[in-house]
Amino acid sequence: MKTHEKLNHLFPSESDIPETYRLHGLVEQKEYLIDGELLTWEGEMSEVLSPICINDGGHISQKCIGHTPLLTSQEALHALDAAVKAYDLGMGEWPTLSVGSRIHHVEKFLSAMRAKRQEVVNLLMWEIGKPLKDAEKEFDRTCVYIEDTINQLKELDRNSARFDTEEGIVAQIRRVPLGVALCMGPFNYPLNETFTTLIPALIMGNTVVFKPAKYGVLLIKPLLEAFRDSFPKGVINIIYGRGRDTVGAMMETGKLDVFAFIGTNKGANDLKKLHPKPHRLRSILGLDAKNPAIVLPDADLEVAIQECITGSLSFNGQRCTALKILFVHDSIADVFIEKYLQALQKLQMGMPWEAGVSLTPLPEPGKTEYLNGLVQDAQQHGAKVMNEGGGLFNQTYFHPAVLYPVNAAMRVYREEQFGPVVPIVPFSKVQEAIDYVRDSNYGQQLSIFSQDAEAVAHLIDSFANQVGRINLNAQCQRGPDTYPFNGRKDSAEGTLSVGDALRAFSIRIMVASKMNGTNKALIGDILQHRYSKFLTTDYLF
Ligand SMILES: O=C[C@H](O)COP(=O)(O)O
């Protein structure tokens, strides 16, 4: 069957959807969380369209699955005020709670979250088209990340140095939260990526305003009560709405201390510049990437193909860590492409809940047209679509397009496609690939495929000052989550491993006292009477 004929079978009617995955009615998300209260929004709502298209008696359209509130700047500022109040040492308890107590709150949340697994996984499929296995993995991985964060924090706490005495000065050094954090995540990992900033921020004692991703927003609904019931008032506030109205208004107040954002450079820059004193804002950012694979002539092709197929096309290439351009030595380009296309044929396109399906509809509006534009541009500059049916699209479906030979004149050479378009660049000298990486604005990761120790070592040394991670005979990826996740140049700011994130959302400060009679009496008095929340004997590391 030709690919375009197969595409006709991608639009199920309601009755074709298995009962377990069917949505019964719309998910009406009217509630938002401010200062420990779930408030109900009666104003304008935003429609949530699933990328999954339904065939309703011959009429095929994206299914509307629910609505979310379009809050205004007023609600956003209310949320910010609640977070500011909860952070204030004089009024809020959260920043000065013991590590053990904060862990207890997060554990309570985790246990409530686990009970919502099926609901959240189902929404991950409906909202962003994530295949069932990947959606389950995202949920489970997030739970493990929270557990690991708790364990890491206990470890840090155990190893803490309580007092330092140097040169006649006693220092009570303490790691403290940064303040009020705004956490925003991307549509492709709306749970995992968001929680890898949200949880470390909370557990370190920051208070948070959380705005869920634009797509992948309804799946926070099942967790709203868990958030409300697990944390003290104002510690976590959850809002919805247009970025400019809500986030923009909060930024302009200058009251945000941390901006934790996983998304595009443009999104991050547009928001950050609204802060009146951006240098005061600690930014923890995961941004654009264009990770290349470099396949040398002696590469083990079986390994290279397997890793490049999953690296470039798992979740339709919609991962910041996806391989977004493949540099293949020209002596093996033909055989590489032949094998790549054979492997591609085995990937199935379909509904996210169908067994074996890995290619699914795309949630971003206008994405298929954008990808088609990239393909046409490459064709105009001399590339061919190497696979039958490649690039064929329909509303939210885009069949992967493998482009060859790609060169610097084409948009896809530098633009981050974030979708199922695979550009393959032939090279004769490895220096061409080295120059590509060095000239790139991005520096998240790259992959090298070769068995030649000398050649690999040379490349490692060429790239160690360019990217955050070099993968040998393996695709690019974030995990394991205990490993550093970051990037160079315009790809990231800060590092987000389990342990690094705890440090990213905190700062070490101290009270330093000269060892003289006055101070001995003074500190003794403060400690004895517990006058200070900060200066206590049971402080954090
Ligand atoms: O989109 C960026 C994700 O953090 C990638 O994670 P992953 O490499 O595990 O798919």
Side-chain angles (χ1 to χ4, degrees):
M1 196 189 297
K2 286 190 188 303
T3 308
H4 64 274
E5 288 167 2
K6 284 186 202 162
L7 281 178
N8 293 332
H9 299 265
L10 291 175
F11 311 109
S13 64
E14 285 287 352
S15 58
D16 293 333
I17 301 165
E19 179 61 27
T20 325
Y21 307 118
R22 215 173 276 175
L23 285 181
H24 297 285
L26 294 172
V27 185
E28 296 298 5
Q29 157 71 70
K30 285 194 156 196
E31 289 171 321
Y32 57 106
L33 178 64
I34 296 184
D35 209 13
E37 258 190 88
L38 283 176
L39 305 169
T40 304
W41 176 245
E42 300 296 350
E44 196 187 348
M45 301 283 281
S46 169
E47 188 180 54
V48 180
L49 289 182
S50 170
I52 295 169
C53 295
I54 298 291
N55 185 344
D56 183 6
H59 176 70
I60 294 171
S61 60
Q62 282 180 253
K63 183 176 165 65
C64 171
I65 54 173
H67 296 91
T68 54
L70 280 174
L71 302 182
T72 68
S73 56
Q74 202 180 329
E75 292 72 41
L77 294 176
H78 181 190
L80 178 61
D81 283 347
V84 169
K85 193 174 74 186
Y87 181 73
D88 190 307
L89 289 192
M91 293 185 270
E93 294 295 321
W94 188 247
T96 53
L97 266 190
S98 68
V99 168
S101 304
R102 283 208 298 266
I103 285 175
H104 175 72
H105 286 278
V106 173
E107 281 173 339
K108 187 173 174 193
F109 173 76
L110 178 58
S111 129
M113 174 174 158
R114 283 208 162 101
K116 302 290 181 181
R117 183 177 189 265
Q118 195 178 340
E119 230 176 306
V120 174
V121 165
N122 209 23
L123 285 167
L124 271 167
M125 289 193 287
W126 275 103
E127 285 196 88
I128 58 165
K130 187 161 275 199
L132 176 59
K133 275 206 159 36
D134 294 342
E136 288 175 337
K137 190 173 157 198
E138 178 167 352
F139 187 93
D140 297 339
R141 176 182 178 181
T142 307
C143 293
V144 170
Y145 186 94
I146 298 174
E147 277 169 1
D148 286 350
T149 298
I150 290 169
N151 291 333
Q152 185 84 38
L153 184 55
K154 285 180 184 165
E155 194 61 32
L156 284 174
D157 195 34
R158 235 193 318 277
N159 294 333
S160 64
R162 298 206 146 211
F163 280 99
D164 259 1
T165 310
E166 293 266 353
E167 297 175 17
I169 296 176
V170 180
Q172 188 192 33
I173 301 172
R174 187 170 173 186
R175 187 169 283 279
V176 297
L178 295 169
V180 178
L182 169 66
C183 294
M184 296 171 72
F187 82 84
N188 62 336
Y189 281 89
L191 190 71
N192 185 60
E193 289 269 13
T194 311
F195 281 37
T196 58
T197 62
L198 183 64
I199 296 297
L202 286 171
I203 211 164
M204 289 310 287
N206 301 276
T207 59
V208 170
V209 179
F210 164 38
K211 183 173 172 312
K214 194 166 175 191
Y215 319 111
V217 54
L218 294 174
L219 55 86
I220 298 301
K221 180 179 166 73
L223 305 177
L224 276 180
E225 286 180 6
F227 274 118
R228 180 196 60 191
D229 299 341
S230 306
F231 295 98
K233 277 172 145 201
V235 167
I236 167 85
N237 305 277
I238 303 177
I239 59 162
Y240 302 84
R242 296 185 189 93
R244 182 63 189 81
D245 298 345
T246 55
V247 180
M250 290 190 285
M251 277 289 179
E252 281 165 358
T253 65
K255 291 183 187 169
L256 285 167
D257 302 295
V258 189
F259 180 41
F261 178 92
I262 318 275
T264 62
N265 281 75
K266 184 178 177 336
N269 292 335
D270 284 354
L271 293 172
K272 210 173 149 177
K273 71 183 179 207
L274 298 174
H275 194 289
K277 295 190 175 166
H279 57 278
R280 286 197 187 175
L281 197 61
R282 163 88 58 101
S283 297
I284 300 163
L285 309 175
L287 304 170
D288 305 328
K290 182 86 177 175
N291 295 341
I294 301 165
V295 187
L296 298 188
D298 70 304
D300 178 332
L301 272 192
E302 294 307 314
V303 171
I305 295 298
Q306 185 51 45
E307 294 292 318
C308 286
I309 272 283
T310 51
S312 53
L313 288 174
S314 58
F315 192 35
N316 314 296
Q318 297 169 123
R319 296 160 55 228
C320 60
T321 49
L323 287 172
K324 297 190 178 112
I325 189 159
L326 311 180
F327 283 82
V328 181
H329 193 268
D330 53 15
S331 64
I332 55 162
D334 288 349
V335 58
F336 180 91
I337 290 170
E338 188 189 324
K339 285 179 183 291
Y340 186 94
L341 295 183
Q342 282 166 4
L344 173 58
Q345 273 191 340
K346 294 188 190 138
L347 301 186
Q348 290 176 46
M349 187 178 261
M351 293 295 106
W353 47 80
E354 286 169 354
V357 158
S358 58
L359 300 170
T360 52
L362 313 177
E364 288 180 283
K367 191 63 189 249
T368 54
E369 287 83 356
Y370 166 74
L371 294 173
N372 201 42
L374 280 186
V375 171
Q376 283 177 357
D377 170 77
Q379 285 173 316
Q380 280 158 16
H381 289 88
K384 287 198 177 96
V385 177
M386 302 302 286
N387 53 319
E388 190 203 338
L392 201 65
F393 71 99
N394 192 329
Q395 298 194 40
T396 54
Y397 278 95
F398 191 93
H399 191 272
V402 179
L403 298 172
Y404 180 82
V406 164
N407 61 46
M410 302 169 191
R411 280 169 51 204
V412 74
Y413 190 76
R414 288 289 178 197
E415 264 177 51
E416 182 185 19
Q417 65 272 43
F418 217 84
V421 169
V422 185
I424 300 182
V425 184
F427 68 88
S428 56
K429 293 202 173 80
V430 75
Q431 190 60 39
E432 295 167 46
I434 295 174
D435 290 343
Y436 177 85
V437 174
R438 291 192 169 171
D439 292 345
S440 176
N441 285 330
Y442 307 125
Q444 191 199 58
Q445 299 191 15
L446 56 81
S447 296
I448 302 168
F449 293 93
S450 170
Q451 304 177 72
D452 178 337
E454 212 177 325
V456 169
H458 170 63
L459 288 177
I460 291 174
D461 290 350
S462 303
F463 296 138
N465 63 353
Q466 297 291 317
V467 295
R469 173 166 168 167
I470 298 165
N471 300 279
L472 301 184
N473 296 301
Q475 61 170 304
C476 298
Q477 62 180 46
R478 174 174 178 160
D481 290 337
T482 45
Y483 286 3
F485 179 52
N486 55 22
R488 316 284 276 272
K489 300 191 254 186
D490 293 345
S491 283
E493 203 171 319
T495 296
L496 278 177
S497 73
V498 167
D500 286 308
L502 295 177
R503 285 181 277 277
F505 283 97
S506 58
I507 183 171
R508 288 201 326 147
I509 67 158
M510 63 183 182
V511 174
S513 332
K514 280 207 168 160
M515 286 168 71
N516 54 33
T518 312
N519 276 335
K520 271 189 195 156
L522 180 74
I523 292 173
D525 240 16
I526 294 173
L527 294 181
Q528 190 193 343
H529 293 102
R530 293 188 151 277
Y531 284 141
S532 167
K533 283 187 185 175
F534 176 80
L535 194 65
T536 68
T537 47
D538 53 354
Y539 48 81
L540 185 60
F541 47 95

